[in-house]
Amino acid sequence: MSKPRILVARAIFPDIVDRLRQHFDVEDNPDDVIWTPQELAARLADKDGVLTTGSQRIDAALLSAAPRLKVCANMAVGYNNFDVDAMTAAGVLGTNTPDVLTETTADFGFALLMATARRMTESEHYLRAGKWTKWSYDMFAGSDIHGSTLGIIGMGRIGQGVAKRGAHGFGMKVVYHNRSRLSAELEAECKATYVGKDELLRTADHVVLVVPYTPASHHTIGAAELALMKPTATLVNIARGGIVDDAALAVALRERRIAAAGLDVFEGEPSVHPDLLTVPNVVLTPHIASATVPTRRAMANLAADNLIAFFDGRGPLTPVNQPSTLR
């Protein structure tokens, strides 16, 4: 009996590809070529499954060109690269990698908050440019983290992780906004208070975004929301590009309507809005919040586990949709 055929769409750890070869006929991409949608569709035409990252769009057009495709295992917790409705209608299952990156991403979110509040990027550029010649009382004076108010929009696993770091580690007052309120037990664990979005924006000293991207969450933070924030406040986005209107943010930063921002994700990434590259009061990182070796290995292994479990009949471990019938 022949093995199912799968595609590993981006380069991943070689030993995990070898593990997949024990179960599947694997085509991989060790050179990490970024295929066009047409090239991806051509490679999937004879495949039963695919291990994707956030850079491969799975939509109706691709599904029609890949009639054998049954399962798409995303090596990410987010899956806005999946047209879930189209996949469900076509009988194609999607999976993601929740939980395994929660703590690592929360670590990075808090690190980005600290770097933003304490103006680390600005000061490093200043030093490297040879401009540091003397001490002055207000040189790169930023804002305190300890004892300040942390506002979190999106209080899932990662948001809760950021909240706990702020409340328990830095004595921060934590307020949050979410589609639904947490249980009293979880609020107590996070020392967090539920508030409306506008109140959060008006009162928080540091705002962290951790919401999934959907059409409804597009530009959750735009010019109107930025106008509500304190001029001393900071904004951190570790969610997804498109949650923030990057053009409006660049204007707010340039005009000092808010103090600073820290961004790990961008609209249209890997492209970055050019205006963000010209303002000094922003920390920019290339979508690396989950980038530790143990966490990236755990993500790749969970994506592999989902493919293996699907084809051996156990069913996927972390599905994101439930087609009524499968291909």
Side-chain angles (χ1 to χ4, degrees):
M1 182 176 172
S2 61
K3 295 179 179 179
R5 305 190 71 182
I6 70 163
L7 176 70
V8 179
R10 294 288 303 273
I12 63 169
F13 299 95
D15 62 299
I16 297 177
V17 176
D18 290 341
R19 179 177 165 230
L20 287 166
R21 292 192 195 282
Q22 298 173 24
H23 302 268
F24 306 111
D25 180 354
V26 177
E27 178 185 354
D28 64 339
N29 183 10
D31 294 329
D32 207 31
V33 176
I34 305 297
W35 295 317
T36 66
Q38 295 75 23
E39 290 169 335
L40 178 63
R43 290 177 183 274
L44 286 174
D46 63 347
K47 301 299 190 298
D48 302 294
V50 60
L51 192 155
T52 55
T53 66
S55 55
Q56 292 78 54
R57 177 70 175 163
I58 307 297
D59 56 17
L62 182 138
L63 294 168
S64 66
R68 288 178 48 174
L69 190 64
K70 300 175 181 64
V71 59
C72 303
N74 221 31
M75 187 182 147
V77 65
Y79 48 91
N80 52 298
N81 57 312
F82 287 176
D83 183 334
V84 175
D85 290 342
M87 291 170 65
T88 302
V92 175
L93 193 80
T95 70
N96 67 339
T97 58
D99 299 323
V100 295
L101 49 71
T102 298
E103 297 302 328
T104 295
T105 304
D107 279 351
F108 188 86
F110 210 86
L112 192 55
L113 184 162
M114 295 179 72
T116 300
R118 296 303 304 272
R119 303 176 66 181
M120 289 185 179
T121 295
E122 283 183 88
S123 60
E124 183 184 2
H125 289 169
Y126 181 86
L127 182 151
R128 287 180 180 275
K131 296 179 180 179
W132 183 31
T133 59
K134 64 177 183 178
W135 178 92
S136 61
Y137 76 95
D138 60 349
M139 185 172 66
F140 297 105
S143 56
D144 277 330
I145 298 159
H146 68 277
S148 64
T149 298
L150 170 62
I152 300 173
I153 299 179
M155 200 66 156
R157 298 177 186 91
I158 297 169
Q160 291 170 39
V162 173
K164 290 173 184 175
R165 284 158 176 77
H168 296 283
F170 290 81
M172 300 177 84
K173 174 184 177 182
V174 179
V175 294
Y176 77 96
H177 183 72
N178 201 45
R179 286 178 298 177
S180 56
R181 186 168 178 173
L182 299 182
S183 68
E185 292 76 15
L186 282 176
E187 285 188 345
E189 286 180 22
C190 298
K191 295 187 176 180
T193 302
Y194 180 83
V195 296
K197 178 182 166 185
D198 286 0
E199 181 181 350
L200 183 149
L201 293 170
R202 289 192 185 99
T203 59
D205 298 303
H206 307 288
V207 176
V208 180
L209 305 174
V210 209
V211 294
Y213 182 82
T214 67
S217 64
H218 182 73
H219 287 185
T220 292
I221 301 296
E225 289 76 20
L226 291 163
L228 295 175
M229 294 175 64
K230 299 176 181 180
T232 55
T234 70
L235 176 72
V236 169
N237 187 7
I238 56 169
R240 278 292 185 269
I243 300 295
V244 175
D245 181 339
D246 286 352
L249 176 60
V251 172
L253 290 167
R254 178 171 287 107
E255 297 180 357
R256 301 285 174 168
R257 297 181 196 170
I258 66 171
L263 307 174
D264 187 50
V265 290
F266 307 88
E267 290 190 89
E269 61 185 55
S271 297
V272 176
H273 195 289
D275 290 350
L276 287 172
L277 301 175
T278 64
V279 292
N281 48 336
V282 62
V283 181
L284 307 172
T285 56
H287 204 149
I288 57 169
S290 65
T292 66
V293 172
T295 293
R296 287 285 170 85
R297 288 189 63 84
M299 293 165 67
N301 270 312
L302 181 51
D305 289 342
N306 272 306
L307 288 168
I308 293 165
F310 176 84
F311 283 106
D312 73 12
R314 287 178 290 146
L317 305 178
T318 53
V320 301
N321 66 336
Q322 296 286 349
S324 55
T325 57
L326 296 174
R327 283 182 171 180

